[in-house]
Amino acid sequence: MARGIGTKCLHLEEEEGRCNHYGAISYPIFQTATFAHPGVGKSAGYDYSRLQNPTREHLEKVMASLENGIDALALSSGMAAIALMMELFRPGDHLIVDADLYGGSIRLFGNISEKNGISFSSIDCHKEDVENYIRENTKAIYIETPTNPMMNVTDIAKTAKIAKRNNLLLIVDNTFLSPYFQNPLDLGADIVIHSGTKYLGGHNDALAGFLVTNREDLSERFRFLIKTTGAALAPFDSWLILRGIKTLGIRMEKAQENAVALVNWLKGQKAVTKVIYPGLPEHPGYAIMKKQARGFGAMITFRLKNREFALAILEKVRMIQFAESLGGVETLITYPATQTHADVPQERRERNGITDRTLRLSVGIEDVKDLLDELDRVFAEIEGEQHG
Ligand SMILES: *Cc1c(COP(=O)(O)O)cnc(C)c1O
């Protein structure tokens, strides 16, 4: 019988009933670069940690189980995962990518992949007909849903059908919802990407990235690439992410509950001109989210009436911290225009709706009353100053 996702965060079914490693409940950290061979032409299963390490392998099995894939690869960061994935393509290949993506992905595609002869069509996958952009040399569709930071929602199953029909790969960056709320492989995607730095690790203390697939050919290719290019996740960091994943379920639930309260509070503020959260029934992607995800997540993007108000919030928050990144237990606030999306050309940024009045909240697991008290104080102070 298929187990619940909360249980899968804690128990790896295939290893149960085997009392390994002195019966340790926490998976041991095999802090070793290399492994001794029992004899000539013999291996104990591990040769060198760039290829594989038991701690990393355990994490990879947990990730494959959470995303219902046949294989997962743990890399040193989300960007390392995306860069490795791009090695699937050759000069002359073309990819269709969502216009609103994590800024680092846009930077990689525009500065590295293009230099390597790969071309891109950046389109609004949530509202344009992807099929119109397919060329003879198109090899893949690359999306995030919801997107970072504008929360656009793309129908994964529908996009997967287009990909299959045209023999393209569908690649989904699932960082924003984590496997706890969404499983793109089940909806027809070929590759799922995660920045493990975010919800999976969950504590703002380690970088990690993942590629998960349910295709044997892609798994083999990725195994060759990680061995050859070398950005595998270190044993200790693998252990930190394993530890983080154990509480993924309760963290996601609590962060989402807090996010809903903050969304409702923000909607009641005169200084806030727009609140973008895919759990709001008026969000254009709400119905698709209901269909393809088990939750709406804990990321909120909102717009202030003027730039000064947005900047003043960043100056005045104390418990909520002004920092990049997301998905950790602590609530963080970000200014996408100069932080996560600073390297995205201004024209594209503005077209996507990232203005100098736009802020993004990654809601953590604090007591919600304390988050609301802080926002109350910050907004009251700014309103006092702007009118004074
Ligand atoms: C942070 C992030 C990445 C990059 O991950 P790193 O671990 O920071 O390298 C990729 N995609 C999304 C959606 C992200 O939020």
Short mmCIF file of all heavy atoms in Angstrom, two decimals, residues 46-85:
data_model
loop_
_atom_site.label_atom_id
_atom_site.label_comp_id
_atom_site.label_asym_id
_atom_site.label_seq_id
_atom_site.Cartn_x
_atom_site.Cartn_y
_atom_site.Cartn_z
N TYR A 46 31.13 1.00 -3.07
CA TYR A 46 31.48 2.43 -3.16
C TYR A 46 32.96 2.53 -3.48
O TYR A 46 33.76 1.77 -2.95
CB TYR A 46 31.17 3.14 -1.83
CG TYR A 46 29.72 3.02 -1.43
CD1 TYR A 46 29.30 1.98 -0.61
CD2 TYR A 46 28.78 3.91 -1.91
CE1 TYR A 46 27.97 1.84 -0.27
CE2 TYR A 46 27.44 3.78 -1.58
CZ TYR A 46 27.04 2.74 -0.76
OH TYR A 46 25.73 2.60 -0.44
N ASP A 47 33.31 3.47 -4.36
CA ASP A 47 34.70 3.61 -4.75
C ASP A 47 35.29 4.96 -4.39
O ASP A 47 36.42 5.07 -3.94
CB ASP A 47 34.84 3.40 -6.27
CG ASP A 47 34.30 2.04 -6.66
OD1 ASP A 47 34.70 1.04 -6.04
OD2 ASP A 47 33.44 1.98 -7.57
N TYR A 48 34.47 6.01 -4.62
CA TYR A 48 34.99 7.38 -4.45
C TYR A 48 33.75 8.27 -4.28
O TYR A 48 32.75 8.08 -4.99
CB TYR A 48 35.78 7.75 -5.72
CG TYR A 48 36.55 9.04 -5.63
CD1 TYR A 48 37.56 9.20 -4.70
CD2 TYR A 48 36.27 10.09 -6.49
CE1 TYR A 48 38.27 10.39 -4.63
CE2 TYR A 48 36.98 11.29 -6.43
CZ TYR A 48 37.98 11.43 -5.50
OH TYR A 48 38.68 12.60 -5.43
N SER A 49 33.78 9.24 -3.37
CA SER A 49 32.55 9.95 -3.00
C SER A 49 32.00 10.89 -4.06
O SER A 49 30.85 11.31 -3.97
CB SER A 49 32.73 10.68 -1.67
OG SER A 49 32.64 9.74 -0.61
N ARG A 50 32.80 11.23 -5.08
CA ARG A 50 32.20 12.01 -6.17
C ARG A 50 31.16 11.17 -6.91
O ARG A 50 30.15 11.67 -7.35
CB ARG A 50 33.28 12.53 -7.13
CG ARG A 50 32.70 13.16 -8.38
CD ARG A 50 33.60 14.19 -9.08
NE ARG A 50 35.01 13.91 -9.03
CZ ARG A 50 35.67 13.04 -9.81
NH1 ARG A 50 35.03 12.32 -10.71
NH2 ARG A 50 36.97 12.89 -9.68
N LEU A 51 31.46 9.86 -7.02
CA LEU A 51 30.54 8.96 -7.70
C LEU A 51 29.36 8.62 -6.79
O LEU A 51 28.20 8.74 -7.19
CB LEU A 51 31.24 7.67 -8.11
CG LEU A 51 32.12 7.72 -9.35
CD1 LEU A 51 33.28 8.69 -9.19
CD2 LEU A 51 32.65 6.33 -9.67
N GLN A 52 29.68 8.15 -5.60
CA GLN A 52 28.61 7.86 -4.66
C GLN A 52 29.17 7.71 -3.25
O GLN A 52 30.31 7.29 -3.07
CB GLN A 52 27.83 6.59 -5.07
CG GLN A 52 26.50 6.41 -4.37
CD GLN A 52 25.59 7.63 -4.39
OE1 GLN A 52 25.90 8.67 -3.80
NE2 GLN A 52 24.43 7.51 -5.05
N ASN A 53 28.33 8.09 -2.30
CA ASN A 53 28.68 8.03 -0.88
C ASN A 53 27.41 7.54 -0.17
O ASN A 53 26.31 7.96 -0.55
CB ASN A 53 29.08 9.44 -0.43
CG ASN A 53 29.26 9.55 1.07
OD1 ASN A 53 28.28 9.57 1.81
ND2 ASN A 53 30.48 9.61 1.51
N PRO A 54 27.54 6.66 0.84
CA PRO A 54 26.33 6.09 1.44
C PRO A 54 25.35 7.13 1.99
O PRO A 54 24.14 6.97 1.84
CB PRO A 54 26.88 5.21 2.56
CG PRO A 54 28.28 4.90 2.17
CD PRO A 54 28.78 6.09 1.39
N THR A 55 25.85 8.20 2.61
CA THR A 55 24.95 9.20 3.19
C THR A 55 24.19 9.91 2.08
O THR A 55 22.98 10.13 2.16
CB THR A 55 25.74 10.22 4.05
OG1 THR A 55 26.65 9.51 4.88
CG2 THR A 55 24.80 11.05 4.89
N ARG A 56 24.93 10.28 1.02
CA ARG A 56 24.27 10.95 -0.09
C ARG A 56 23.28 10.01 -0.77
O ARG A 56 22.18 10.39 -1.12
CB ARG A 56 25.33 11.41 -1.11
CG ARG A 56 24.75 12.36 -2.15
CD ARG A 56 25.85 12.88 -3.07
NE ARG A 56 25.87 12.16 -4.32
CZ ARG A 56 26.96 11.71 -4.94
NH1 ARG A 56 28.15 11.88 -4.39
NH2 ARG A 56 26.88 11.09 -6.08
N GLU A 57 23.68 8.75 -0.90
CA GLU A 57 22.80 7.77 -1.54
C GLU A 57 21.49 7.61 -0.77
O GLU A 57 20.42 7.51 -1.35
CB GLU A 57 23.53 6.43 -1.63
CG GLU A 57 22.74 5.37 -2.37
CD GLU A 57 23.57 4.12 -2.57
OE1 GLU A 57 24.06 3.55 -1.55
OE2 GLU A 57 23.77 3.73 -3.71
N HIS A 58 21.61 7.60 0.56
CA HIS A 58 20.39 7.48 1.37
C HIS A 58 19.47 8.67 1.12
O HIS A 58 18.26 8.51 0.91
CB HIS A 58 20.78 7.39 2.85
CG HIS A 58 19.61 7.07 3.73
ND1 HIS A 58 19.03 5.83 3.79
CD2 HIS A 58 18.88 7.86 4.58
CE1 HIS A 58 17.99 5.86 4.62
NE2 HIS A 58 17.89 7.09 5.12
N LEU A 59 20.06 9.88 1.11
CA LEU A 59 19.26 11.09 0.83
C LEU A 59 18.63 10.99 -0.56
O LEU A 59 17.45 11.34 -0.76
CB LEU A 59 20.18 12.32 0.92
CG LEU A 59 19.60 13.64 0.39
CD1 LEU A 59 18.38 14.06 1.22
CD2 LEU A 59 20.66 14.75 0.43
N GLU A 60 19.39 10.52 -1.53
CA GLU A 60 18.86 10.43 -2.89
C GLU A 60 17.68 9.45 -2.98
O GLU A 60 16.71 9.70 -3.70
CB GLU A 60 19.99 10.01 -3.86
CG GLU A 60 21.02 11.13 -4.02
CD GLU A 60 22.23 10.76 -4.88
OE1 GLU A 60 22.48 9.55 -5.06
OE2 GLU A 60 22.94 11.67 -5.34
N LYS A 61 17.78 8.37 -2.21
CA LYS A 61 16.66 7.41 -2.20
C LYS A 61 15.42 8.03 -1.56
O LYS A 61 14.30 7.81 -2.02
CB LYS A 61 17.07 6.13 -1.45
CG LYS A 61 18.01 5.25 -2.26
CD LYS A 61 18.39 4.02 -1.46
CE LYS A 61 19.30 3.11 -2.29
NZ LYS A 61 19.91 2.06 -1.42
N VAL A 62 15.64 8.79 -0.49
CA VAL A 62 14.50 9.47 0.15
C VAL A 62 13.86 10.45 -0.83
O VAL A 62 12.63 10.49 -0.98
CB VAL A 62 14.94 10.19 1.45
CG1 VAL A 62 13.85 11.11 1.97
CG2 VAL A 62 15.34 9.18 2.52
N MET A 63 14.69 11.20 -1.54
CA MET A 63 14.15 12.18 -2.50
C MET A 63 13.42 11.50 -3.65
O MET A 63 12.37 11.95 -4.10
CB MET A 63 15.27 13.06 -3.06
CG MET A 63 15.54 14.30 -2.24
SD MET A 63 14.08 15.30 -1.94
CE MET A 63 13.76 15.95 -3.57
N ALA A 64 13.98 10.40 -4.16
CA ALA A 64 13.31 9.65 -5.24
C ALA A 64 11.95 9.18 -4.73
O ALA A 64 10.94 9.26 -5.44
CB ALA A 64 14.17 8.48 -5.69
N SER A 65 11.91 8.72 -3.49
CA SER A 65 10.65 8.24 -2.91
C SER A 65 9.65 9.39 -2.76
O SER A 65 8.47 9.24 -3.08
CB SER A 65 10.97 7.55 -1.58
OG SER A 65 9.97 7.78 -0.62
N LEU A 66 10.10 10.56 -2.33
CA LEU A 66 9.18 11.70 -2.13
C LEU A 66 8.59 12.19 -3.45
O LEU A 66 7.45 12.67 -3.50
CB LEU A 66 9.89 12.87 -1.43
CG LEU A 66 10.29 12.64 0.03
CD1 LEU A 66 10.96 13.89 0.58
CD2 LEU A 66 9.08 12.28 0.86
N GLU A 67 9.39 12.12 -4.54
CA GLU A 67 8.90 12.61 -5.83
C GLU A 67 8.40 11.48 -6.74
O GLU A 67 8.12 11.70 -7.91
CB GLU A 67 9.99 13.42 -6.56
CG GLU A 67 10.20 14.84 -6.03
CD GLU A 67 9.05 15.80 -6.34
OE1 GLU A 67 7.96 15.36 -6.77
OE2 GLU A 67 9.24 17.02 -6.13
N ASN A 68 8.34 10.27 -6.21
CA ASN A 68 7.91 9.11 -7.00
C ASN A 68 8.73 8.95 -8.27
O ASN A 68 8.20 8.67 -9.35
CB ASN A 68 6.41 9.22 -7.34
CG ASN A 68 5.56 9.28 -6.08
OD1 ASN A 68 5.84 8.59 -5.11
ND2 ASN A 68 4.53 10.11 -6.09
N GLY A 69 10.05 9.11 -8.12
CA GLY A 69 10.95 8.91 -9.26
C GLY A 69 11.70 7.60 -9.09
O GLY A 69 11.60 6.94 -8.05
N ILE A 70 12.46 7.21 -10.13
CA ILE A 70 13.28 6.01 -9.97
C ILE A 70 14.68 6.37 -9.50
O ILE A 70 15.40 5.53 -9.00
CB ILE A 70 13.37 5.18 -11.28
CG1 ILE A 70 13.96 6.02 -12.41
CG2 ILE A 70 12.02 4.59 -11.66
CD1 ILE A 70 14.50 5.19 -13.54
N ASP A 71 15.07 7.64 -9.68
CA ASP A 71 16.40 8.04 -9.24
C ASP A 71 16.40 9.53 -8.91
O ASP A 71 15.65 10.31 -9.52
CB ASP A 71 17.44 7.76 -10.34
CG ASP A 71 18.88 7.80 -9.82
OD1 ASP A 71 19.06 7.81 -8.58
OD2 ASP A 71 19.81 7.81 -10.65
N ALA A 72 17.22 9.90 -7.93
CA ALA A 72 17.42 11.31 -7.59
C ALA A 72 18.91 11.53 -7.43
O ALA A 72 19.63 10.64 -6.97
CB ALA A 72 16.69 11.65 -6.29
N LEU A 73 19.39 12.72 -7.82
CA LEU A 73 20.79 13.06 -7.62
C LEU A 73 20.87 14.28 -6.72
O LEU A 73 20.17 15.27 -6.95
CB LEU A 73 21.46 13.40 -8.96
CG LEU A 73 21.69 12.19 -9.84
CD1 LEU A 73 20.54 12.06 -10.81
CD2 LEU A 73 23.01 12.29 -10.56
N ALA A 74 21.74 14.19 -5.69
CA ALA A 74 21.91 15.31 -4.77
C ALA A 74 23.15 16.09 -5.17
O ALA A 74 24.24 15.53 -5.29
CB ALA A 74 22.04 14.79 -3.34
N LEU A 75 22.97 17.38 -5.41
CA LEU A 75 24.08 18.24 -5.85
C LEU A 75 24.33 19.35 -4.85
O LEU A 75 23.56 19.56 -3.92
CB LEU A 75 23.74 18.80 -7.23
CG LEU A 75 23.73 17.68 -8.28
CD1 LEU A 75 22.39 17.54 -8.92
CD2 LEU A 75 24.84 17.87 -9.26
N SER A 76 25.43 20.08 -5.09
CA SER A 76 25.90 21.03 -4.08
C SER A 76 25.04 22.29 -3.97
O SER A 76 25.19 23.04 -3.01
CB SER A 76 27.35 21.41 -4.39
OG SER A 76 27.42 21.92 -5.71
N SER A 77 24.14 22.54 -4.92
CA SER A 77 23.20 23.66 -4.81
C SER A 77 22.13 23.45 -5.87
O SER A 77 22.28 22.61 -6.77
CB SER A 77 23.91 25.01 -5.03
OG SER A 77 24.27 25.15 -6.40
N GLY A 78 21.08 24.25 -5.79
CA GLY A 78 20.05 24.19 -6.82
C GLY A 78 20.62 24.54 -8.18
O GLY A 78 20.32 23.90 -9.19
N MET A 79 21.47 25.57 -8.21
CA MET A 79 22.07 25.98 -9.49
C MET A 79 22.98 24.89 -10.06
O MET A 79 23.06 24.71 -11.27
CB MET A 79 22.83 27.30 -9.35
CG MET A 79 21.95 28.54 -9.20
SD MET A 79 20.44 28.58 -10.22
CE MET A 79 21.11 28.43 -11.87
N ALA A 80 23.68 24.16 -9.18
CA ALA A 80 24.52 23.05 -9.66
C ALA A 80 23.64 22.00 -10.33
O ALA A 80 24.01 21.40 -11.35
CB ALA A 80 25.31 22.43 -8.51
N ALA A 81 22.43 21.78 -9.78
CA ALA A 81 21.50 20.81 -10.37
C ALA A 81 21.04 21.29 -11.74
O ALA A 81 21.01 20.52 -12.71
CB ALA A 81 20.31 20.61 -9.43
N ILE A 82 20.70 22.57 -11.84
CA ILE A 82 20.20 23.10 -13.11
C ILE A 82 21.33 23.10 -14.16
O ILE A 82 21.12 22.76 -15.32
CB ILE A 82 19.57 24.49 -12.91
CG1 ILE A 82 18.40 24.39 -11.91
CG2 ILE A 82 19.07 25.07 -14.24
CD1 ILE A 82 17.83 25.72 -11.46
N ALA A 83 22.54 23.47 -13.72
CA ALA A 83 23.67 23.49 -14.65
C ALA A 83 23.98 22.08 -15.15
O ALA A 83 24.28 21.88 -16.33
CB ALA A 83 24.90 24.09 -13.96
N LEU A 84 23.89 21.09 -14.27
CA LEU A 84 24.14 19.70 -14.68
C LEU A 84 23.06 19.26 -15.67
O LEU A 84 23.37 18.63 -16.70
CB LEU A 84 24.15 18.77 -13.47
CG LEU A 84 24.62 17.35 -13.78
CD1 LEU A 84 26.13 17.25 -13.66
CD2 LEU A 84 23.96 16.33 -12.87
N MET A 85 21.82 19.60 -15.37
CA MET A 85 20.70 19.23 -16.25
C MET A 85 20.92 19.80 -17.65
O MET A 85 20.63 19.13 -18.66
CB MET A 85 19.41 19.76 -15.63
CG MET A 85 18.13 19.50 -16.37
SD MET A 85 17.86 20.64 -17.73
CE MET A 85 17.69 22.19 -16.86
#
